[in-house]
Amino acid sequence: MTTSFHGIVPPIVTPLTAEGEVDLPSLERLTRHLVDAGVHGIFVLGSTGEVAYLTDAQRELVVRTVATAVGGRVPVMAGVIDLTTARVAEQVRAVVAAGADAVVATAPIYAINDTAEIEQHFRAVAAASEVPVLAYDIPVRVKTKLPADLLVKLGSEGVLAGVKDSSGDDVGFRRLVAANAAAGSPLALFTGHEVVVDGMLLLGADGVVPGLGNVDAAGYVRLWDLARAGDWAGARAEQDRLARLFEIVFQAAGRSGDAAGVGSFKVAIQRQGLIDTATMAFPVQALDGEVAERIESIVRDAGLLPVAAR
Amino acid sequence: MTTSFHGIVPPIVTPLTAEGEVDLPSLERLTRHLVDAGVHGIFVLGSTGEVAYLTDAQRELVVRTVATAVGGRVPVMAGVIDLTTARVAEQVRAVVAAGADAVVATAPIYAINDTAEIEQHFRAVAAASEVPVLAYDIPVRVKTKLPADLLVKLGSEGVLAGVKDSSGDDVGFRRLVAANAAAGSPLALFTGHEVVVDGMLLLGADGVVPGLGNVDAAGYVRLWDLARAGDWAGARAEQDRLARLFEIVFQAAGRSGDAAGVGSFKVAIQRQGLIDTATMAFPVQALDGEVAERIESIVRDAGLLPVAAR
Amino acid sequence: MTTSFHGIVPPIVTPLTAEGEVDLPSLERLTRHLVDAGVHGIFVLGSTGEVAYLTDAQRELVVRTVATAVGGRVPVMAGVIDLTTARVAEQVRAVVAAGADAVVATAPIYAINDTAEIEQHFRAVAAASEVPVLAYDIPVRVKTKLPADLLVKLGSEGVLAGVKDSSGDDVGFRRLVAANAAAGSPLALFTGHEVVVDGMLLLGADGVVPGLGNVDAAGYVRLWDLARAGDWAGARAEQDRLARLFEIVFQAAGRSGDAAGVGSFKVAIQRQGLIDTATMAFPVQALDGEVAERIESIVRDAGLLPVAAR
Amino acid sequence: MTTSFHGIVPPIVTPLTAEGEVDLPSLERLTRHLVDAGVHGIFVLGSTGEVAYLTDAQRELVVRTVATAVGGRVPVMAGVIDLTTARVAEQVRAVVAAGADAVVATAPIYAINDTAEIEQHFRAVAAASEVPVLAYDIPVRVKTKLPADLLVKLGSEGVLAGVKDSSGDDVGFRRLVAANAAAGSPLALFTGHEVVVDGMLLLGADGVVPGLGNVDAAGYVRLWDLARAGDWAGARAEQDRLARLFEIVFQAAGRSGDAAGVGSFKVAIQRQGLIDTATMAFPVQALDGEVAERIESIVRDAGLLPVAAR
């Protein structure tokens, strides 16, 4: 295992059985598939992992299963999404005990806090953690945009080891990259936006947490390698292909954000045989019917399914 | 105890010791004070009760302490704020075991769901509950505005017993009142907006959950009685007085919503001797200094503090 | 003409011919109908009057036609919606020349200004106006919520004569009412929310600008008279009836806000014979077909159409 | 003049005299400076040009002055920001008469329209225009995000010639680039976000409309040339330098968006001697004092001011 966080770190989906329990064989299979594809880490219990829908027992099972399947080949980061600092600290203890190499924490949710309060929250979470803590910036769910100044300050003091930016604010992300570089790069900076990875790597992102990486991990690894090699035209071409694949998330018009997004990833990887069902956590219904057919068709066009299988 | 939900139901604050633990004597004292003032119910573990900051153990303690202090004189409703349906159901079991007469549940938080998914969530929460379930509509924290159609449908089917509306959308509230009346009034409808209570009672609200009721419960009970008696001019005069008192929440300019709002309530009732400290839950700092002085001055002007005490 | 602004002041729709020109005979007829129904003023060129879609020539025609038809029986307020202070000042001169007794101005639109800049804007508009200026608070269109402090300050200095509040923030409106009263009531305060008029009058609104007043002016006048007489139960009953009528704006699901709202008013008054067509300003298509039938049915249920006519 | 729109197209500021009139000599000087620096077009009357604050007479003066100073060396695009389709069409006629080679139009402002209505608006504006029409996507001012599907459809039909994207939604921008490419690239696609230009050019943007290009046009031209040459590492280095310069817009904390943004550009170019004053349009006050000193210092650090001048 390395403590250096970088590269392609898919936020792994949580495969479920038809009854809604964690499907351990599918989770193991998907984990091995991702690691074999060359990813540089696995992020469990993120929004794509349906963390908000899982019980503590299910969360523990997910981390343990993935950590075991990974076997130390790459770092396992675990989301510790919960209400209140004390509960987040408890999640930290649980996921570390289950094998996580790092944790990813948001600002407080439900509560309405200011920057000073959020800073104290992160300090307390870090104090409770034996492993590195990354901040998870996802205003669409948490309502708060984490300020770049705060993040870099906490990075410089060793409180935070990195940031997963899912804010959709790429201007803000560049400002964060610049401020981090000016401070000696204490933070590992990940973007969560899977269709602008070429540009984000060009401007200095340390890595990516692409939900779509569940569907085409090898593509993202190629994109990473091309960027590392300075072949930006090649990187862009690979990104363009992945951007076409990303259209799967726009097929379920009228469904909820979680159903359309995570739901499309699950259909796409189920059709590839990587997981057994596309079941979503209660109360979300899996995508099926014509929508699922359209998703399969896009996946096929991306070269991820055998032509004969249709 | 009555199962009929109506009237003034303050969302009781959670008094804390200087160390941040639940201050049980203060909580008992405040509870008895509210019941003695004539309130028609107590809402524990709401946003004003800092529910988002409390551990499960603290939550259990709060419900048990308030239920015991109330002694069945009025119903105790308990917030069951948590991530995911399964966890909310677990909160339901815990607060009912601790003595709650009803539970108050939000739509899923952090998750991004649509109306159909939210409906299934409430159905599952209700199925897991032995006591009546009220829906808590608070988009500023949950991001979702609950549709009136869904609420009335779930009321008519016996899934929901009422709604606590903290949406700030009074046009929507009137539409809800009208739709509920047309359906035979299956829902008890509470507004959470403490400065428009006269108007909301006039248009048909069944009750109020006023955070400011912690500070002046007797005033809200008078307002309720005047409205019940059809003395709307008197009701408005009382509401005007309470609206002036509500200015305490605007004193801490620049502080977070929770610090300025709940924090001002805590200062105001601490100065009245009803609780021992104005301590806020970590990571929120209590209001103090000049801000606390201004709050005290407003409380005094409202006739809630002896002049000589200054 | 009176300079005292109060009571029921419908934001009159702008009837259009099938070709999209201002339909002067219909506009005269509707104006006389409203004044005969007992309204206390007419607000021309508001959002309901489709001001944003009209040319300067059309605006001038609207004001002149309404002012002439009113004949000084009640005041005519005119919206002066435009980009930039200088243009708004030009609109002021034009509508006053055309017969307006007062003007209604928003904060700058498109521009991104702060409170100090907005204050200077209103001061300059007032300096350019021979007639009283009311502020129009409509954040859904202008993006800015006007602060109560600023409004009362400008009222006290004689810059503003009143406020039309279409912000949907009734807590804010009560704070404004209270601050205005504390300052000696320099401002005439109007709410734009037609389904909470009983409550808003109870808490101290000076008047209402109800779009639905185009459809049932007599109902709003009755509501006003009942409230003035202190018959709040009667006021509420009338408001309940009007709230049922307001359901017409929710019939055109999936259409734009302007099409569904103003469009439903136009259908409802066209079916009453008050205007000739329900034509909307380009590029908005009039409501028709099944949607228009549902609107007519609601209007009929409200007693505003003869039963035999169906 | 070329009708091919691409490259670096600064949205030129509108220099004003101390009295608030358009400063023609400064405008000419700045225009020539930009063209001499190698920009590929000039965008007049954009948000950065304070279009929302200018009268029609001032707008005409600006277009005529810039068009004359440019002398056909590069295309001049002109914003036609106004209420209602008919007024926008009138703006089109005015700016074309004054010398504009293309116009840039937003969706309707103030009005609340849906996609079908916005489509008709653009069709009508294009029908009224002798020159190419570009769509201006700036939701922070117009409230509407233009859908990629609509834009590409209107491009394919020859209604629109391009898009200026100031939406801040870079994921959406990539989807637009991809959809445009799939349709045969009918649209010229410009990003308005000056600190992610390297990434946006990499992913396929046809050009940039950088407000900061007023301050360092040569830098953006270098960035463009490096990107065209495939020297992405060089492009990134240049972008990093420009991103540091962009910090000037964050110096006026607490001021309005227009004051802080456009105001900082004006200070930066006034200090370079390109315009005579940093005066902002009424009611915005120019930045000065310590804020202006910090801006000058950043400009100096970027190598845009002589060291000795301090």
Side-chain angles (χ1 to χ4, degrees), chain C residues 161-208:
Chain C
V163 177
K164 192 218 156 180
D165 185 299
S166 296
S167 71
D169 176 0
D170 290 337
V171 169
F173 188 67
R174 182 161 218 133
R175 291 192 75 211
L176 176 59
V177 168
N180 188 47
S185 298
L187 297 167
L189 300 177
F190 290 83
T191 178
H193 295 288
E194 49 262 276
V195 302
V196 291
V197 173
D198 49 354
M200 294 301 110
L201 292 179
L202 175 61
L203 68 76
D206 297 300
V208 195

Side-chain angles (χ1 to χ4, degrees), chain A residues 9 33 183:
Chain A
V9 182
H33 169 81

Side-chain angles (χ1 to χ4, degrees), chain C residues 47 51-56 59 81-87 91 106 109-114 117 120-121 124 136 138 140-143 254-259 282-285, chain D residues 47 51-56 59 81-87 91 106 109-114 117 120-121 124 136 138 140-143 254-259 282-285:
Chain C
S47 306
V51 63
Y53 301 88
L54 302 181
T55 62
D56 286 359
R59 291 182 182 204
I81 312 305
D82 213 331
L83 292 166
T84 208
T85 309
R87 278 187 172 203
Q91 295 289 338
T106 67
I109 52 179
Y110 196 86
I112 300 179
N113 293 128
D114 61 20
E117 291 159 359
Q120 293 310 314
H121 167 77
Y136 194 174
I138 186 164
V140 71
R141 296 180 187 273
V142 182
K143 298 185 308 285
R255 293 293 304 273
S256 72
D258 283 353
F282 181 85
V284 181
Q285 291 293 310
Chain D
S47 306
V51 63
Y53 301 88
L54 302 181
T55 63
D56 285 0
R59 290 181 183 206
I81 311 305
D82 212 330
L83 292 166
T84 208
T85 309
R87 277 187 173 204
Q91 295 289 339
T106 68
I109 52 179
Y110 196 86
I112 300 180
N113 293 129
D114 60 20
E117 291 159 0
Q120 292 310 313
H121 167 78
Y136 194 174
I138 185 163
V140 72
R141 295 180 187 272
V142 182
K143 299 185 309 286
R255 293 292 305 273
S256 71
D258 283 353
F282 181 86
V284 181
Q285 292 292 311

Side-chain angles (χ1 to χ4, degrees), chain A residues 53 56 82 87 113 117 256, chain B residues 56 82 84 87 113 117 256:
Chain A
Y53 300 89
D56 285 0
D82 213 331
R87 277 188 173 201
N113 293 129
E117 291 159 0
S256 72
Chain B
D56 286 358
D82 213 331
T84 208
R87 278 186 173 202
N113 293 129
E117 291 158 0
S256 72

